[in-house]
């Protein structure tokens, strides 16, 4: 897939003339505008237009996007995760020294300070959390991870999401995303680990929380993918569905405070 120029970072959206609330006798009339000029009302109408089915079926909506890409031979982006000989261990206190008391908290603070200055060697024991674990997570499947409490399930998920890179745990082994290690990309833009106690900003509304979550991973290569998709459709003489094209163009926009994906999530049928 070839890289497009800077102008493709703001793809254009072709909107039906009646989508703006204007009556038009010609159903083929369209209004072409940059995707970064769309207001909230227009984005909501784009979602309604894309979901203009009898029951606003989510599966049918996503299938239309997949069928459009399949028609020109573009495969959706997928991620395959492999982990090999994953070994994770920690250094912990044992017996009475590990109890959560005020005295131990004070000792941990001062001993940690002295250890940072290389003035004290704290006596901790090694505790193995995961030992020589190997496996893979393939795209298009749901993987169920089962195990008793304390078996290392959360530690494994955090390691696969790249959250243990800067922790105090000792991590050995390899974790590969599509033949790339964590040193070659930003794992937070590809995977997410949701803790059992997910923390949100109390000052944000539900809509603002969705907008913030949609902006965190970024749009990736959606703009380049859409440009290649339109190029192949033009070469093969394929006419795309206007509502689907408008949605894909608006979702490929980067840097907006409000995302069209939020409008999709806020639909009552989700």
């Amino acid at each position: 897939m070839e890289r497009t120029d800077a102008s493709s970072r703001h793809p254009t959206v072709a909107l039906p003339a009646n989508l703006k609330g204007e009556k038009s006798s010609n159903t083929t009339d369209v209004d072409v505008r940059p995707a970064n000029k769309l207001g909230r009302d227009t984005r909501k109408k784009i979602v309604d237009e894309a979901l203009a089915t009898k029951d606003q079926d989510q599966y049918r909506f996503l299938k239309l996007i997949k069928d459009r890409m399949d028609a020109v031979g573009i495969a959706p982006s997928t991620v395959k995760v492999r982990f090999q000989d994953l070994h994770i261990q920690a250094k912990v206190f044992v017996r009475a020294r590990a109890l959560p008391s005020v005295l131990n908290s004070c000792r941990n603070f001062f001993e940690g300070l002295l250890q940072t200055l290389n003035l004290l060697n704290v006596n901790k024991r090694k505790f193995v959390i995961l030992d020589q674990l190997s496996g893979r997570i393939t795209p298009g499947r749901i993987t169920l991870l089962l195990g008793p409490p304390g078996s290392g399930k959360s530690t494994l998920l955090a390691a696969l999401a790249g959250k243990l890179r800067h922790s105090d745990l000792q991590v050995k082994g390899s974790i590969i995303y599509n033949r790339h290690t964590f040193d070659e990309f930003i794992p937070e833009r590809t995977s997410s680990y949701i803790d059992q106690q997910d923390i949100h900003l109390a000052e944000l509304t539900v809509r603002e929380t969705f907008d913030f979550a949609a902006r965190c991973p970024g749009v990736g290569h959606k703009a380049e993918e859409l440009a290649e998709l339109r190029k192949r459709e033009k070469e093969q003489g394929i006419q795309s569905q206007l509502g689907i094209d408008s949605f894909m163009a608006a979702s490929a926009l980067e840097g907006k405070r409000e995302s069209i994906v939020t409008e999709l999530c806020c639909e009552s049928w989700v």
Side-chain angles (χ1 to χ4, degrees), residues 110-169:
F110 289 107
E111 288 180 359
L113 181 61
L114 295 176
Q115 187 178 13
T116 304
L117 300 176
N118 295 324
L119 299 178
L120 179 65
N121 186 16
V122 180
N123 186 18
K124 292 184 178 180
R125 292 189 180 181
K126 294 182 179 180
F127 178 77
V128 177
I129 303 175
L130 297 176
D131 188 19
Q132 303 298 320
L133 194 64
S134 300
R136 64 181 179 180
I137 300 177
T138 57
R141 295 185 180 182
I142 298 178
T143 302
L144 179 62
L145 183 61
L146 296 176
S151 60
K153 301 185 300 296
S154 299
T155 304
L156 174 60
L157 293 177
L160 296 180
K163 297 181 69 67
L164 301 184
R165 294 175 298 160
H166 308 294
S167 67
D168 295 333
L169 299 178

Side-chain angles (χ1 to χ4, degrees), residues 34-229:
N36 61 335
K37 300 297 183 182
L38 300 178
R40 173 176 293 180
D41 294 338
T42 306
R43 291 195 305 273
K44 187 177 187 308
K45 292 178 181 179
I46 289 177
V47 173
D48 294 339
E49 179 73 13
L51 298 172
T53 61
K54 180 179 179 181
D55 300 317
Q56 287 194 334
D57 188 7
Q58 181 185 15
Y59 171 78
R60 183 178 178 184
F61 166 69
L62 297 176
K63 189 175 185 300
L64 287 174
I65 297 179
K66 183 178 183 299
D67 291 344
R68 182 189 180 189
M69 300 179 67
D70 290 342
V72 294
I74 297 180
S77 301
T78 58
V79 177
K80 187 174 184 178
V81 182
R82 290 178 178 270
F83 50 98
Q84 184 73 29
D85 298 330
L86 190 60
H87 181 87
I88 302 177
Q89 68 179 19
K91 291 185 178 181
V92 298
F93 292 108
V94 295
R95 298 180 180 178
R97 188 67 177 81
L99 296 178
S101 62
V102 177
L103 178 60
N104 285 337
S105 298
C106 295
R107 289 185 61 183
N108 291 341
F109 174 78
F110 289 107
E111 288 180 359
L113 181 61
L114 295 176
Q115 187 178 13
T116 304
L117 300 176
N118 295 324
L119 299 178
L120 179 65
N121 186 16
V122 180
N123 186 18
K124 292 184 178 180
R125 292 189 180 181
K126 294 182 179 180
F127 178 77
V128 177
I129 303 175
L130 297 176
D131 188 19
Q132 303 298 320
L133 194 64
S134 300
R136 64 181 179 180
I137 300 177
T138 57
R141 295 185 180 182
I142 298 178
T143 302
L144 179 62
L145 183 61
L146 296 176
S151 60
K153 301 185 300 296
S154 299
T155 304
L156 174 60
L157 293 177
L160 296 180
K163 297 181 69 67
L164 301 184
R165 294 175 298 160
H166 308 294
S167 67
D168 295 333
L169 299 178
Q170 298 180 5
V171 182
K172 298 180 180 179
S174 61
I175 301 176
I176 301 176
Y177 279 57
N178 288 352
R179 301 181 181 179
H180 297 280
T181 62
F182 286 153
D183 298 332
E184 302 176 58
F185 71 103
I186 302 176
E188 289 80 5
R189 294 292 182 93
T190 305
S191 63
S192 301
Y193 172 69
I194 302 177
D195 195 85
Q196 296 178 358
Q197 297 179 346
D198 198 14
I199 301 177
H200 301 283
L201 297 177
E203 293 78 9
L204 298 182
T205 63
V206 175
R207 178 179 292 273
E208 290 172 342
T209 301
F210 276 124
D211 285 330
F212 176 75
R215 292 183 62 193
C216 285
V219 298
H221 59 276
K222 289 183 180 179
E224 289 86 352
E225 188 177 69
L226 180 60
E228 180 67 18
L229 178 61

Side-chain angles (χ1 to χ4, degrees), residues 8-11 35-36 189 214-224 249-258:
S8 65
R9 297 181 182 274
H10 299 295
N36 61 335
R189 294 292 182 93
R215 292 183 62 193
C216 285
V219 298
H221 59 276
K222 289 183 180 179
E224 289 86 352
S251 62
L253 181 63
E254 188 173 16
K256 291 288 289 184
R257 290 178 58 87
E258 299 171 345

